[in-house]
Amino acid sequence: MGSVYFYHLTEHPLEATLPMLLQKSLAAGWRVAVRSGDDALMKRLDSALWLGDGFLPHGIAGGPHDADQPILLTKGDATNGAHCVMAVGQAAIDVVEAQAAERVCILFDGANPEAVDHARGQWRSMTDAGLAAQYWADEGGRWQKKAENTPKS
């Protein structure tokens, strides 16, 4: 059963935080799917991953080599055998998918009240289903674990 990590972005934008998490995921030997329903956001992330500090190999879903991508930017299913699904821009993640993944990361903009409400709803649905969850906040230039839900055995 997977675990869900919530990242409350308050000091660093998504374009700075996502590459750091992707690098850690690749170092762990994981394939990753980054999900968003927002086309403009996906284009920004694609550019950030190509042009940022250090190259992060990735593709955008819909190409002939989706299954081979270590990082796949997608609006839908993770067709690259992802160990980790990262939801951005209030993308949907259901409990069944979270249970099947090794890890789900939900990144949300702390300055956007709708994004915060959406993340709170996701926290409730994931923890109510018995998934392990951690809430991380970007404070003082460091990530700090603020809450943890450990399922009862």
Side-chain angles (χ1 to χ4, degrees), residues 70-123:
I71 299 169
L72 184 67
L73 305 180
T74 182
K75 292 173 81 172
D77 291 336
T79 57
N80 65 334
H83 302 90
C84 177
V85 178
M86 296 191 183
V88 300
Q90 301 176 51
I93 298 282
D94 68 28
V95 169
V96 173
E97 182 178 24
Q99 289 170 328
E102 288 187 45
R103 173 137 338 134
V104 168
C105 298
I106 297 173
L107 292 79
F108 62 100
D109 181 356
N112 179 338
E114 290 176 8
V116 172
D117 286 343
H118 183 74
R120 285 181 179 143
Q122 288 178 308
W123 175 274

Side-chain angles (χ1 to χ4, degrees), residues 14-15 18 34 41-49 73 88:
L14 178 62
E15 291 83 356
L18 183 63
V34 178
L41 176 57
M42 294 297 266
K43 287 179 183 174
R44 282 197 336 261
L45 294 176
D46 179 42
S47 292
L49 296 179
L73 305 180
V88 300

